[in-house]
Amino acid sequence: ANIYVARHLHAPIILVGDIERGGVFASLFGSVELLPPDLRPLVQGLVINKFRGDPAILGSGLEILEEMTGVPVLGVLPYLDLSLPSEDSVSLGDKKSRPEGESLDIAVIRLPRISNFTDFEPLERLAHVRYVGLSEPLGRPDAVIIPGTKNTVSDLREMQENGMDRQIMSLENTPVLGICGGYQMLGREIIDSGIEDTIGSVPALGLLDATTRFDLYEKKTVQVEKMVTGGGPILEPIRGQKVKGYEIHMGLTSPREESAFQDDGAVSSSGIVIGTYLHGLFDNENFRAAFLDFLRRRK
């Protein structure tokens, strides 16, 4: 992802390998060898990351790696439990079990093309957040979150084919939050002019009275600050306060419900189904607290 920048700036490159995933020597060697000729000289050092144990046992391997690549190994970093954002969906398998003593159960639908799932990492330190595949039983969670996706229509269809839409809709009085593509899925229909996956109308979950249209291949990318304008048991305690986030999506959603955040999103009449385009919502302490406080009071 950083190669484009390195090429244009002629910036030195440090290549970091994750030893937890296995094959770190082959990964580092192969990455160096496969770089285009103009980029290969920019690699100034190699680093092995997330090592558990005595780094001395890597000694001969590090020496051979330096000999084969001609690039020095700068060091070996120990595994540390840091609260840093994950690297896209490749890190979904690294998720930990529920925090000690925490009883809240929040289910995030693991869409095949899930994106921006780091939206929910602030929750993981405060509640049991589990990622549920489309063919897995959803159970009786305290809340359901439908995340962003790289292709809303395709993931919606697979959700329907696997029956996850019916599992979600069968939950009575359970809060459902949809973010970005998840918000689009919560509406009544998605009308696609061939931008996403098809041409025509695709019925959605119908938990919000909203319609999404994909008319132009134009992506909105912007950082925003919005005022909480929605009501209901989750948003009412923070109505009038501000939240920050970012939008990165295609499509335009027209809700016929009360807006959630100024001119963004929608809230059902019950107040427990919320849709929004705002990523990073749980980084806002006020929204995070309002969401979790409501779930804890109910439980």
Side-chain angles (χ1 to χ4, degrees):
N2 301 326
I3 288 295
Y4 179 89
V5 177
R7 168 172 276 148
H8 284 270
L9 297 181
H10 301 286
I13 295 172
I14 296 176
L15 188 61
V16 183
D18 182 354
I19 200 168
E20 278 231 306
R21 300 193 181 281
V24 71
F25 289 105
S27 174
L28 290 170
F29 173 74
S31 296
V32 171
E33 291 298 306
L34 290 171
L35 284 174
D38 65 316
L39 289 167
R40 174 65 179 77
L42 296 178
V43 181
Q44 301 296 303
L46 307 175
V47 172
I48 290 181
N49 193 23
K50 296 188 181 179
F51 182 71
R52 303 171 189 257
D54 182 3
I57 66 174
L58 300 176
S60 60
L62 302 181
E63 293 171 5
I64 294 172
L65 188 61
E66 288 186 341
E67 293 172 6
M68 295 180 67
T69 62
V71 179
V73 176
L74 302 181
V76 177
L77 298 177
Y79 182 93
L80 298 174
D81 189 10
L82 301 175
S83 297
L84 298 174
S86 300
E87 184 184 359
D88 203 15
S89 55
V90 69
S91 300
L92 269 174
D94 301 337
K95 294 303 178 185
K96 299 177 181 178
S97 58
R98 93 172 56 222
E100 187 175 348
E102 180 54 63
S103 62
L104 281 183
D105 178 32
I106 299 174
V108 177
I109 307 303
R110 186 169 181 168
L111 301 172
R113 300 162 187 83
I114 188 172
S115 66
N116 301 87
F117 83 96
T118 52
D119 281 343
F120 316 115
E121 292 190 332
L123 283 181
E124 293 171 10
R125 297 184 283 276
L126 301 167
H128 177 218
V129 178
R130 56 188 173 94
Y131 293 81
V132 184
L134 297 186
S135 59
E136 297 174 357
L138 184 56
R140 308 295 299 183
D142 297 304
V144 174
I145 300 176
I146 307 177
T149 166
K150 299 178 181 72
N151 190 302
T152 301
V153 173
S154 294
D155 276 359
L156 174 60
R157 281 182 162 160
E158 290 196 36
M159 180 188 288
Q160 293 166 339
E161 290 168 2
N162 285 276
M164 179 55 75
D165 60 327
R166 295 187 292 277
Q167 288 197 69
I168 294 171
M169 291 185 288
S170 70
L171 298 175
E172 293 184 4
N173 299 317
T174 299
V176 180
L177 173 66
I179 297 180
C180 200
Y183 169 33
Q184 295 169 342
M185 292 182 190
L186 286 178
R188 293 192 179 280
E189 64 175 343
I190 298 173
I191 301 172
D192 187 10
S193 60
I195 303 300
E196 283 274 290
D197 185 63
T198 186
I199 295 178
S201 174
V202 178
L205 274 66
L207 295 178
L208 288 174
D209 189 3
T211 298
T212 297
R213 293 180 178 271
F214 290 101
D215 293 326
L216 298 172
Y217 192 83
E218 181 178 329
K219 182 175 287 188
K220 184 174 184 179
T221 57
V222 62
Q223 294 187 11
V224 297
E225 183 178 80
K226 304 280 188 181
M227 183 178 292
V228 180
T229 54
I234 298 174
L235 294 180
E236 185 62 40
I238 57 171
R239 190 198 286 263
Q241 298 181 24
K242 291 184 177 180
V243 293
K244 294 181 179 180
Y246 66 94
E247 295 183 42
I248 177 168
H249 66 90
M250 291 193 296
L252 178 64
T253 301
S254 302
R256 288 172 286 278
E257 309 262 19
E258 180 182 28
S259 65
F261 306 104
Q262 217 162 303
D263 57 351
D264 170 81
V267 186
S268 66
S269 57
S270 67
I272 64 171
V273 179
I274 302 172
T276 178
Y277 275 118
L278 296 186
H279 291 288
L281 195 54
F282 288 107
D283 289 319
N284 295 275
E285 185 177 358
N286 55 354
F287 178 80
R288 186 174 66 241
F291 185 78
L292 293 175
D293 285 351
F294 170 70
L295 298 185
R296 289 191 176 113
R297 285 196 305 271
R298 281 180 53 134
K299 196 168 188 79

